[in-house]
mmCIF file of all heavy atoms in Angstrom:
data_model
loop_
_atom_site.group_PDB
_atom_site.id
_atom_site.type_symbol
_atom_site.label_atom_id
_atom_site.label_comp_id
_atom_site.label_asym_id
_atom_site.label_seq_id
_atom_site.Cartn_x
_atom_site.Cartn_y
_atom_site.Cartn_z
ATOM 1 N N ALA F 418 88.625 90.682 116.373
ATOM 2 C CA ALA F 418 87.726 90.068 117.360
ATOM 3 C C ALA F 418 86.271 90.121 116.861
ATOM 4 O O ALA F 418 85.528 89.138 117.009
ATOM 5 C CB ALA F 418 87.866 90.791 118.688
ATOM 6 N N LEU F 419 85.884 91.229 116.273
ATOM 7 C CA LEU F 419 84.506 91.366 115.720
ATOM 8 C C LEU F 419 84.322 90.397 114.573
ATOM 9 O O LEU F 419 83.241 89.819 114.411
ATOM 10 C CB LEU F 419 84.246 92.831 115.309
ATOM 11 C CG LEU F 419 84.132 93.812 116.449
ATOM 12 C CD1 LEU F 419 84.247 95.242 115.938
ATOM 13 C CD2 LEU F 419 82.834 93.611 117.213
ATOM 14 N N MET F 420 85.331 90.255 113.726
ATOM 15 C CA MET F 420 85.240 89.292 112.609
ATOM 16 C C MET F 420 85.068 87.875 113.165
ATOM 17 O O MET F 420 84.325 87.071 112.590
ATOM 18 C CB MET F 420 86.472 89.387 111.749
ATOM 19 C CG MET F 420 86.517 90.706 110.946
ATOM 20 S SD MET F 420 88.163 91.096 110.237
ATOM 21 C CE MET F 420 88.430 89.672 109.187
ATOM 22 N N GLY F 421 85.704 87.549 114.280
ATOM 23 C CA GLY F 421 85.543 86.237 114.900
ATOM 24 C C GLY F 421 84.114 86.018 115.410
ATOM 25 O O GLY F 421 83.690 84.873 115.576
ATOM 26 N N LEU F 422 83.366 87.118 115.597
ATOM 27 C CA LEU F 422 81.989 87.060 116.055
ATOM 28 C C LEU F 422 80.991 87.197 114.888
ATOM 29 O O LEU F 422 79.790 87.306 115.127
ATOM 30 C CB LEU F 422 81.729 88.124 117.108
ATOM 31 C CG LEU F 422 82.532 87.983 118.405
ATOM 32 C CD1 LEU F 422 82.337 89.223 119.270
ATOM 33 C CD2 LEU F 422 82.103 86.707 119.152
ATOM 34 N N GLY F 423 81.503 87.274 113.665
ATOM 35 C CA GLY F 423 80.631 87.319 112.518
ATOM 36 C C GLY F 423 80.628 88.611 111.691
ATOM 37 O O GLY F 423 79.967 88.680 110.669
ATOM 38 N N ALA F 424 81.389 89.599 112.108
ATOM 39 C CA ALA F 424 81.493 90.862 111.319
ATOM 40 C C ALA F 424 82.312 90.562 110.058
ATOM 41 O O ALA F 424 83.049 89.591 110.008
ATOM 42 C CB ALA F 424 82.140 91.954 112.151
ATOM 43 N N ARG F 425 82.169 91.436 109.075
ATOM 44 C CA ARG F 425 82.942 91.339 107.855
ATOM 45 C C ARG F 425 83.878 92.550 107.734
ATOM 46 O O ARG F 425 83.509 93.676 108.086
ATOM 47 C CB ARG F 425 81.981 91.338 106.655
ATOM 48 C CG ARG F 425 81.062 90.137 106.632
ATOM 49 C CD ARG F 425 79.897 90.285 105.649
ATOM 50 N NE ARG F 425 79.056 91.429 106.074
ATOM 51 C CZ ARG F 425 78.756 92.467 105.302
ATOM 52 N NH1 ARG F 425 79.197 92.573 104.086
ATOM 53 N NH2 ARG F 425 77.980 93.441 105.759
ATOM 54 N N LEU F 426 85.089 92.295 107.262
ATOM 55 C CA LEU F 426 86.065 93.372 107.139
ATOM 56 C C LEU F 426 85.707 94.322 105.992
ATOM 57 O O LEU F 426 85.491 93.893 104.871
ATOM 58 C CB LEU F 426 87.462 92.783 106.865
ATOM 59 C CG LEU F 426 88.591 93.793 106.662
ATOM 60 C CD1 LEU F 426 88.836 94.583 107.937
ATOM 61 C CD2 LEU F 426 89.838 93.122 106.187
ATOM 62 N N VAL F 427 85.632 95.589 106.335
ATOM 63 C CA VAL F 427 85.465 96.606 105.299
ATOM 64 C C VAL F 427 86.889 97.161 105.006
ATOM 65 O O VAL F 427 87.311 97.156 103.847
ATOM 66 C CB VAL F 427 84.533 97.737 105.729
ATOM 67 C CG1 VAL F 427 84.515 98.883 104.711
ATOM 68 C CG2 VAL F 427 83.118 97.175 105.980
ATOM 69 N N ALA F 428 87.572 97.648 106.040
ATOM 70 C CA ALA F 428 88.894 98.208 105.822
ATOM 71 C C ALA F 428 89.709 98.171 107.122
ATOM 72 O O ALA F 428 89.158 98.318 108.225
ATOM 73 C CB ALA F 428 88.784 99.653 105.346
ATOM 74 N N ASP F 429 91.011 97.983 106.979
ATOM 75 C CA ASP F 429 91.959 98.036 108.070
ATOM 76 C C ASP F 429 93.002 99.065 107.779
ATOM 77 O O ASP F 429 93.580 99.054 106.686
ATOM 78 C CB ASP F 429 92.599 96.652 108.254
ATOM 79 C CG ASP F 429 93.607 96.620 109.401
ATOM 80 O OD1 ASP F 429 93.265 97.129 110.489
ATOM 81 O OD2 ASP F 429 94.724 96.128 109.200
ATOM 82 N N ASP F 430 93.208 99.966 108.675
ATOM 83 C CA ASP F 430 94.254 101.000 108.622
ATOM 84 C C ASP F 430 93.835 102.244 107.886
ATOM 85 O O ASP F 430 94.103 103.352 108.327
ATOM 86 C CB ASP F 430 95.564 100.433 108.083
ATOM 87 C CG ASP F 430 96.723 101.377 108.335
ATOM 88 O OD1 ASP F 430 96.890 101.812 109.516
ATOM 89 O OD2 ASP F 430 97.459 101.680 107.386
ATOM 90 N N ARG F 431 93.218 102.105 106.739
ATOM 91 C CA ARG F 431 92.735 103.271 105.968
ATOM 92 C C ARG F 431 91.319 103.017 105.505
ATOM 93 O O ARG F 431 91.018 101.984 104.920
ATOM 94 C CB ARG F 431 93.647 103.527 104.742
ATOM 95 C CG ARG F 431 95.020 104.060 105.135
ATOM 96 C CD ARG F 431 95.883 104.291 103.941
ATOM 97 N NE ARG F 431 96.381 102.959 103.528
ATOM 98 C CZ ARG F 431 96.767 102.651 102.323
ATOM 99 N NH1 ARG F 431 96.734 103.543 101.367
ATOM 100 N NH2 ARG F 431 97.214 101.464 102.038
ATOM 101 N N VAL F 432 90.457 103.967 105.786
ATOM 102 C CA VAL F 432 89.049 103.877 105.411
ATOM 103 C C VAL F 432 88.697 105.056 104.517
ATOM 104 O O VAL F 432 88.984 106.204 104.861
ATOM 105 C CB VAL F 432 88.143 103.880 106.672
ATOM 106 C CG1 VAL F 432 86.653 103.794 106.270
ATOM 107 C CG2 VAL F 432 88.495 102.728 107.601
ATOM 108 N N ILE F 433 88.074 104.748 103.391
ATOM 109 C CA ILE F 433 87.558 105.807 102.514
ATOM 110 C C ILE F 433 86.126 106.104 102.984
ATOM 111 O O ILE F 433 85.298 105.228 103.128
ATOM 112 C CB ILE F 433 87.518 105.332 101.048
ATOM 113 C CG1 ILE F 433 88.930 105.027 100.532
ATOM 114 C CG2 ILE F 433 86.837 106.371 100.160
ATOM 115 C CD1 ILE F 433 88.932 104.366 99.156
ATOM 116 N N LEU F 434 85.885 107.384 103.238
ATOM 117 C CA LEU F 434 84.550 107.858 103.672
ATOM 118 C C LEU F 434 83.979 108.790 102.610
ATOM 119 O O LEU F 434 84.681 109.624 102.063
ATOM 120 C CB LEU F 434 84.667 108.612 105.012
ATOM 121 C CG LEU F 434 85.159 107.819 106.204
ATOM 122 C CD1 LEU F 434 85.330 108.747 107.392
ATOM 123 C CD2 LEU F 434 84.232 106.680 106.542
ATOM 124 N N ARG F 435 82.672 108.599 102.352
ATOM 125 C CA ARG F 435 81.972 109.533 101.478
ATOM 126 C C ARG F 435 80.529 109.643 101.930
ATOM 127 O O ARG F 435 79.966 108.694 102.472
ATOM 128 C CB ARG F 435 82.083 109.116 100.031
ATOM 129 C CG ARG F 435 81.256 107.955 99.634
ATOM 130 C CD ARG F 435 81.370 107.683 98.097
ATOM 131 N NE ARG F 435 80.454 106.676 97.678
ATOM 132 C CZ ARG F 435 80.669 105.362 97.674
ATOM 133 N NH1 ARG F 435 81.810 104.914 98.079
ATOM 134 N NH2 ARG F 435 79.753 104.518 97.260
ATOM 135 N N VAL F 436 79.923 110.782 101.688
ATOM 136 C CA VAL F 436 78.535 111.009 102.012
ATOM 137 C C VAL F 436 77.721 110.829 100.742
ATOM 138 O O VAL F 436 78.048 111.403 99.690
ATOM 139 C CB VAL F 436 78.328 112.415 102.624
ATOM 140 C CG1 VAL F 436 76.839 112.674 102.888
ATOM 141 C CG2 VAL F 436 79.140 112.587 103.872
ATOM 142 N N GLU F 437 76.682 110.030 100.841
ATOM 143 C CA GLU F 437 75.813 109.768 99.712
ATOM 144 C C GLU F 437 74.390 109.724 100.212
ATOM 145 O O GLU F 437 74.072 108.902 101.094
ATOM 146 C CB GLU F 437 76.219 108.421 99.072
ATOM 147 C CG GLU F 437 75.561 108.121 97.755
ATOM 148 C CD GLU F 437 76.133 106.846 97.149
ATOM 149 O OE1 GLU F 437 77.273 106.892 96.698
ATOM 150 O OE2 GLU F 437 75.414 105.826 97.140
ATOM 151 N N ASP F 438 73.535 110.575 99.686
ATOM 152 C CA ASP F 438 72.122 110.637 100.102
ATOM 153 C C ASP F 438 71.975 110.796 101.614
ATOM 154 O O ASP F 438 71.134 110.173 102.234
ATOM 155 C CB ASP F 438 71.341 109.400 99.618
ATOM 156 C CG ASP F 438 71.320 109.279 98.108
ATOM 157 O OD1 ASP F 438 71.235 110.332 97.440
ATOM 158 O OD2 ASP F 438 71.369 108.139 97.620
ATOM 159 N N GLY F 439 72.882 111.591 102.220
ATOM 160 C CA GLY F 439 72.784 111.848 103.651
ATOM 161 C C GLY F 439 73.379 110.765 104.548
ATOM 162 O O GLY F 439 73.369 110.903 105.746
ATOM 163 N N ARG F 440 73.839 109.705 103.943
ATOM 164 C CA ARG F 440 74.426 108.587 104.701
ATOM 165 C C ARG F 440 75.956 108.631 104.547
ATOM 166 O O ARG F 440 76.457 108.957 103.482
ATOM 167 C CB ARG F 440 73.917 107.230 104.232
ATOM 168 C CG ARG F 440 72.449 107.038 104.361
ATOM 169 C CD ARG F 440 71.999 105.658 103.922
ATOM 170 N NE ARG F 440 72.568 105.309 102.628
ATOM 171 C CZ ARG F 440 72.616 104.072 102.140
ATOM 172 N NH1 ARG F 440 72.141 103.076 102.839
ATOM 173 N NH2 ARG F 440 73.152 103.841 100.935
ATOM 174 N N LEU F 441 76.664 108.245 105.586
ATOM 175 C CA LEU F 441 78.115 108.160 105.541
ATOM 176 C C LEU F 441 78.493 106.726 105.152
ATOM 177 O O LEU F 441 78.150 105.779 105.914
ATOM 178 C CB LEU F 441 78.719 108.566 106.865
ATOM 179 C CG LEU F 441 80.222 108.652 106.934
ATOM 180 C CD1 LEU F 441 80.769 109.661 105.968
ATOM 181 C CD2 LEU F 441 80.658 108.959 108.356
ATOM 182 N N LEU F 442 79.173 106.557 104.042
ATOM 183 C CA LEU F 442 79.576 105.227 103.573
ATOM 184 C C LEU F 442 81.070 105.033 103.816
ATOM 185 O O LEU F 442 81.883 105.929 103.647
ATOM 186 C CB LEU F 442 79.292 105.082 102.092
ATOM 187 C CG LEU F 442 77.835 105.191 101.661
ATOM 188 C CD1 LEU F 442 77.732 105.079 100.154
ATOM 189 C CD2 LEU F 442 76.950 104.192 102.356
ATOM 190 N N ALA F 443 81.416 103.802 104.247
ATOM 191 C CA ALA F 443 82.800 103.407 104.457
ATOM 192 C C ALA F 443 83.182 102.361 103.413
ATOM 193 O O ALA F 443 82.440 101.444 103.138
ATOM 194 C CB ALA F 443 83.001 102.835 105.853
ATOM 195 N N ASP F 444 84.388 102.541 102.889
ATOM 196 C CA ASP F 444 84.945 101.596 101.904
ATOM 197 C C ASP F 444 86.423 101.480 102.099
ATOM 198 O O ASP F 444 87.026 102.152 102.981
ATOM 199 C CB ASP F 444 84.577 102.035 100.496
ATOM 200 C CG ASP F 444 84.564 100.880 99.488
ATOM 201 O OD1 ASP F 444 84.857 99.736 99.845
ATOM 202 O OD2 ASP F 444 84.281 101.177 98.293
ATOM 203 N N CYS F 445 87.066 100.657 101.282
ATOM 204 C CA CYS F 445 88.495 100.348 101.441
ATOM 205 C C CYS F 445 89.255 100.755 100.174
ATOM 206 O O CYS F 445 88.784 100.512 99.074
ATOM 207 C CB CYS F 445 88.675 98.858 101.686
ATOM 208 S SG CYS F 445 90.336 98.367 102.079
ATOM 209 N N PRO F 446 90.470 101.291 100.347
ATOM 210 C CA PRO F 446 91.294 101.509 99.181
ATOM 211 C C PRO F 446 91.590 100.177 98.497
ATOM 212 O O PRO F 446 91.845 99.181 99.167
ATOM 213 C CB PRO F 446 92.578 102.100 99.757
ATOM 214 C CG PRO F 446 92.162 102.722 101.073
ATOM 215 C CD PRO F 446 91.079 101.788 101.596
ATOM 216 N N PRO F 447 91.568 100.148 97.174
ATOM 217 C CA PRO F 447 91.755 98.881 96.453
ATOM 218 C C PRO F 447 93.049 98.131 96.826
ATOM 219 O O PRO F 447 93.028 96.900 96.887
ATOM 220 C CB PRO F 447 91.780 99.313 94.978
ATOM 221 C CG PRO F 447 91.015 100.594 94.940
ATOM 222 C CD PRO F 447 91.255 101.257 96.269
ATOM 223 N N ALA F 448 94.123 98.852 97.084
ATOM 224 C CA ALA F 448 95.405 98.189 97.356
ATOM 225 C C ALA F 448 95.404 97.338 98.591
ATOM 226 O O ALA F 448 96.192 96.410 98.758
ATOM 227 C CB ALA F 448 96.493 99.230 97.447
ATOM 228 N N ILE F 449 94.481 97.631 99.571
ATOM 229 C CA ILE F 449 94.483 96.872 100.824
ATOM 230 C C ILE F 449 93.172 96.116 101.060
ATOM 231 O O ILE F 449 92.949 95.596 102.153
ATOM 232 C CB ILE F 449 94.830 97.767 102.037
ATOM 233 C CG1 ILE F 449 93.795 98.894 102.193
ATOM 234 C CG2 ILE F 449 96.276 98.276 101.926
ATOM 235 C CD1 ILE F 449 93.958 99.690 103.489
ATOM 236 N N ARG F 450 92.280 96.123 100.070
ATOM 237 C CA ARG F 450 91.004 95.449 100.212
ATOM 238 C C ARG F 450 91.204 93.975 100.560
ATOM 239 O O ARG F 450 92.034 93.280 99.957
ATOM 240 C CB ARG F 450 90.169 95.551 98.924
ATOM 241 C CG ARG F 450 88.771 94.918 99.034
ATOM 242 C CD ARG F 450 87.936 95.165 97.816
ATOM 243 N NE ARG F 450 87.724 96.586 97.523
ATOM 244 C CZ ARG F 450 86.844 97.330 98.153
ATOM 245 N NH1 ARG F 450 86.114 96.851 99.110
ATOM 246 N NH2 ARG F 450 86.705 98.625 97.823
ATOM 247 N N GLY F 451 90.465 93.495 101.569
ATOM 248 C CA GLY F 451 90.553 92.086 101.960
ATOM 249 C C GLY F 451 91.815 91.721 102.714
ATOM 250 O O GLY F 451 92.164 90.546 102.767
ATOM 251 N N ARG F 452 92.466 92.705 103.326
ATOM 252 C CA ARG F 452 93.669 92.452 104.098
ATOM 253 C C ARG F 452 93.563 93.151 105.465
ATOM 254 O O ARG F 452 93.086 94.251 105.551
ATOM 255 C CB ARG F 452 94.902 92.971 103.360
ATOM 256 C CG ARG F 452 95.133 92.276 102.052
ATOM 257 C CD ARG F 452 96.222 92.954 101.252
ATOM 258 N NE ARG F 452 96.291 92.352 99.936
ATOM 259 C CZ ARG F 452 97.382 91.879 99.388
ATOM 260 N NH1 ARG F 452 98.503 91.915 100.039
ATOM 261 N NH2 ARG F 452 97.341 91.345 98.195
ATOM 262 N N ILE F 453 94.060 92.446 106.484
ATOM 263 C CA ILE F 453 94.089 93.001 107.833
ATOM 264 C C ILE F 453 95.356 92.574 108.533
ATOM 265 O O ILE F 453 95.793 91.424 108.385
ATOM 266 C CB ILE F 453 92.811 92.601 108.645
ATOM 267 C CG1 ILE F 453 92.798 93.303 109.998
ATOM 268 C CG2 ILE F 453 92.676 91.088 108.732
ATOM 269 C CD1 ILE F 453 91.449 93.218 110.687
#
Side-chain angles (χ1 to χ4, degrees):
L419 290 165
M420 290 164 61
L422 296 171
R425 297 166 296 123
L426 177 66
V427 174
D429 179 47
D430 194 49
R431 288 179 283 156
V432 178
I433 297 172
L434 298 174
R435 75 176 187 272
V436 178
E437 190 174 287
D438 298 325
R440 300 182 312 163
L441 185 61
L442 300 178
D444 204 357
C445 186
I449 60 171
R450 183 174 300 282
R452 297 171 187 233
I453 185 167

